[in-house]
Amino acid sequence: MVEQRDSRIVAVVTGGANGIGAAVAQRLAQDGASVAILDLDAEAAKETASVIAKRTGATLYGVGADVSESSAVDRAIDQVAEEIGPPTILVNNAGITRDNLLFKMTVEDWDSVMSVHLRGTFLVTRAVQRHMVEARWGRIITMSSVAALGNRGQANYSAAKAGLQAFTKTTAIELGGYGVTANAIAPGFIATEMTAKTAERMGISFDEFKRSAAKAIPVGRVGQPEDVAALASFLASEESGFVSGQVIYLAGGPRA
């Protein structure tokens, strides 16, 4: 959908080396955007960029950056602007988990999750929005989660994902006058490396884990990274211009 505005449009996807981020990066490239993949693992970012470029024929750029470090973020966004153009689409996808029950959770577990999700999203959004304001057009898409509604063993992650929803709504208010929209996607169970690791920690096979999860989902299946990418594609498009400040739960049905 991106191509209907400008073939020179540039998107930034954080945490884009694998999983949901890689799927979103590929979809935006297919839509006609040039895409910069930011990831803590610089080599993985470059490799994924190379793979997607070969698949789509689009311009991809991989760069390493710790989203929780202000100078690293500013440097990375400056590189993107210089190498492939000023970014006007941002997908805040970078995230980590440090799951534990509250009484077992360490300060480090709490701080590291907050640092990547909340501080990281703030820093990258602040760095990219100046290009959007200058262009008087932009799309900010931030990955929240159904965990924002509360989830056992994820006090840190749930709090961070809920905070991102408030950040999204405030950003939509502040930047709306510049033609910039801000929305959040809150995925439910998505089959990724992260959920596979959860199954491993639980001592069950990933297939069994997915089958069990699907039983509680009204549409009868777990989500795929491509499901998230499809929604991100719409929210990044010109057509989504009257959708802003929203949190869209992508979970195969409502969650009580």
Side-chain angles (χ1 to χ4, degrees):
M1 294 184 181
V2 172
E3 76 278 8
Q4 52 189 315
R5 181 174 186 274
D6 191 336
S7 61
R8 296 170 298 171
I9 203 161
V10 175
V12 170
V13 180
T14 69
N18 50 54
I20 289 173
V24 171
Q26 177 163 310
R27 179 60 184 262
L28 294 179
Q30 290 170 339
D31 287 346
S34 298
V35 182
I37 293 175
L38 269 65
D39 201 278
L40 184 62
D41 187 334
E43 291 307 311
K46 293 174 183 177
E47 175 61 24
T48 300
S50 176
V51 169
I52 295 174
K54 290 176 182 177
R55 289 175 181 168
T56 64
T59 298
L60 273 291
Y61 180 67
V63 59
D66 181 345
V67 297
S68 69
E69 292 293 333
S70 181
S71 59
V73 168
D74 289 342
R75 185 165 55 249
I77 298 304
D78 286 345
Q79 289 176 19
V80 170
E82 181 177 346
E83 293 293 330
I84 61 175
T88 51
I89 294 174
L90 169 61
V91 181
N92 287 306
N93 173 73
I96 61 171
T97 56
R98 296 292 184 270
D99 297 350
N100 222 327
L101 294 174
L102 182 61
F103 76 97
K104 293 181 179 180
M105 188 173 289
T106 67
V107 172
E108 290 74 21
D109 290 338
W110 178 272
D111 286 347
S112 59
V113 169
M114 293 298 165
S115 185
V116 174
H117 290 273
L118 289 176
R119 179 183 171 89
T121 295
F122 159 67
L123 290 174
V124 180
T125 302
R126 187 181 64 174
V128 173
Q129 60 83 34
R130 69 179 185 270
H131 297 292
M132 298 178 176
V133 169
E134 184 175 346
R136 301 196 71 81
W137 191 93
R139 298 287 185 263
I140 301 169
I141 302 160
T142 297
M143 294 299 163
S144 180
S145 168
V146 296
L149 301 174
N151 200 36
R152 180 180 173 84
Q154 291 192 313
N156 48 6
Y157 186 77
S158 294
K161 290 302 191 181
L164 290 176
Q165 295 185 12
F167 178 80
T168 293
K169 293 176 182 295
T170 301
T171 304
I173 293 168
E174 292 189 4
L175 298 180
Y178 299 97
V180 179
T181 65
N183 293 286
I185 299 174
F189 191 113
I190 306 296
T192 64
E193 184 177 324
M194 183 179 290
T195 46
K197 288 180 179 178
T198 300
E200 184 178 345
R201 287 197 300 271
M202 295 172 62
I204 62 175
S205 73
F206 192 31
D207 285 340
E208 182 182 352
F209 190 39
K210 289 187 289 185
R211 284 194 298 270
S212 177
K215 292 177 182 178
I217 299 173
V219 300
R221 70 171 177 88
V222 300
Q224 300 296 325
E226 291 74 18
D227 292 316
V228 185
L231 179 54
S233 173
F234 169 69
L235 292 175
S237 73
E238 186 75 23
E239 292 175 328
S240 69
F242 202 56
V243 181
S244 194
Q246 302 306 304
V247 178
I248 302 173
Y249 283 84
L250 189 71
R255 172 176 164 142

